[in-house]
Amino acid sequence: MILRLVVLLSGHGSTLQALLDAIASKQLHAKICAVISDQPHAFGLQRAHQAHIPCHVISRKLGRTRQAFDDILQQCMSDYQPDLIVLAGFMRLLGPRIVDAFAGKIINIHPALLPKYRGLNTYERVLASKDKYHGSTVHIVTQACDAGPNLAQVRTPIDANDTVDSLEQRVKQLEQQLYPRVLQWFAEQRVRQQGDHIYLDGVLLPKSGKIFAPETLL
Ligand code: GRF
C-alpha cells in the first residue's frame, strides 16, 4: 500500500528530506500529503515547498491557548486522513487528545537509545556520561514523552574525540536511513501493536525494538 503521511517538523528538515529521497527512490512507498510546522521560518518548510507538498504553519501565537493550538493541529492533520503522523524534529509535545485521536499512528525518531535520555540535549548528556554507545530510536508516540514502545534502534560507538557536532552528524546519517526503513514496514503492513508489545511479521520485538547494525543501513 502507499502510506499517506503527514509530517510535523520545527527545524532544518533533514529528516523530511531523507523521507522525500526514500520515496523518490521507491524505498518508501508513501505519499507525504502535508507538512505542518509550528515554526514559520523552519527550513523544512522550504524543502516541502520545493517538493510541492502542501504546508501549514500552526504557531503558538500570543493569546492562543494550548488547547486551541491542539484543536487546530488535530483538525489540520485529520483533513488529510493520514495513515501515519510522522514526527521529524517537531519540538512541541503533542497534547493528550491528539495522541488519543491518532493512537498507534504517531511515529517519532529520537536521537538516543531509549529509554535512556528522553527529552532534549541527548548529545550533551551522553557525552557527559560514561556511555560507550549512542544512537537513535524510532518509536510509537504515547502520552509520556519519548516513552512509547520502540520499533527500532541503531547504535554507534562513542569515540573519545567525539564532540556534540561529530556525534550528531554520525547519528543523523544513520537515522535518516533508519526512519524510512521502519516506515516502510507499515506500508508493507508488517507491524502489529498490542499494548506495549510490537510484533514485526508476527514476531514480538525486544523492548529496544529491532536493532540495526550501522553497516546494514549505510
Ligand atoms: C533529528 O535528528 C531527530 O532525531 C530529532 O530531531 C532531529 C531533526 O532534525 N527528533 P532535522 O530538523 O530533520 O534536520
Side-chain angles (χ1 to χ4, degrees):
M1 86 190 252
I2 304 288
L3 280 180
R4 292 177 61 79
L5 306 179
V6 166
V7 175
L8 270 54
L9 56 78
S10 302
H12 193 62
S14 57
T15 313
L16 168 70
Q17 192 61 56
L19 300 180
L20 288 168
D21 293 348
I23 291 170
S25 64
K26 302 200 186 321
Q27 284 166 300
L28 173 58
H29 300 160
K31 172 186 159 91
I32 300 181
C33 302
V35 168
I36 303 174
S37 174
D38 61 331
Q39 298 296 328
H41 303 298
F43 185 65
L45 287 171
Q46 289 190 36
R47 299 181 194 263
H49 279 305
Q50 217 156 35
H52 308 289
I53 296 170
C55 293
H56 301 267
V57 175
I58 305 174
S59 60
R60 181 85 190 266
K61 284 189 193 138
L62 212 61
R64 184 178 274 172
T65 61
R66 170 85 228 197
Q67 195 55 62
F69 175 89
D70 283 356
D71 288 346
I72 297 168
L73 179 58
Q74 185 173 340
Q75 186 58 55
C76 185
M77 296 193 297
S78 302
D79 286 347
Y80 289 97
Q81 300 186 308
D83 296 306
L84 293 178
I85 308 290
V86 177
L87 306 188
F90 187 62
M91 300 308 285
R92 286 181 64 84
L93 287 179
L94 294 174
R97 284 223 317 242
I98 295 185
V99 174
D100 269 357
F102 295 98
K105 292 182 166 190
I106 308 176
I107 314 295
N108 184 38
I109 187 158
H110 179 75
L113 298 171
L114 292 174
K116 281 192 155 186
Y117 308 113
R118 293 176 176 151
L120 299 174
N121 304 322
T122 66
Y123 297 104
E124 287 82 350
R125 285 151 68 202
V126 79
L127 286 177
S129 77
K130 294 209 172 358
D131 291 8
K132 293 194 169 62
Y133 290 90
H134 195 48
S136 189
T137 306
V138 179
H139 68 96
I140 293 178
V141 172
T142 53
Q143 300 289 350
C145 175
D146 299 327
N150 293 345
L151 292 156
Q153 281 188 340
V154 59
R155 51 185 72 178
T156 181
I158 298 175
D159 189 87
N161 299 319
D162 262 326
T163 61
V164 168
D165 279 356
S166 66
L167 190 56
E168 178 171 357
Q169 217 184 345
R170 205 156 69 247
V171 169
K172 268 192 145 182
Q173 209 187 355
L174 292 169
E175 61 182 8
Q176 288 167 10
Q177 301 299 317
L178 179 69
Y179 213 5
R181 287 238 197 162
V182 174
L183 295 175
Q184 177 61 16
W185 294 349
F186 287 87
E188 293 169 1
Q189 297 173 294
R190 296 169 62 190
V191 182
R192 188 165 57 85
Q193 182 184 5
Q194 218 169 29
D196 272 356
H197 292 153
I198 305 288
Y199 296 84
L200 178 64
D201 301 326
V203 178
L204 180 65
L205 288 178
K207 281 239 173 298
S208 58
K210 181 178 164 78
I211 294 184
F212 282 82
E215 57 276 16
T216 65
L217 291 175
L218 295 175

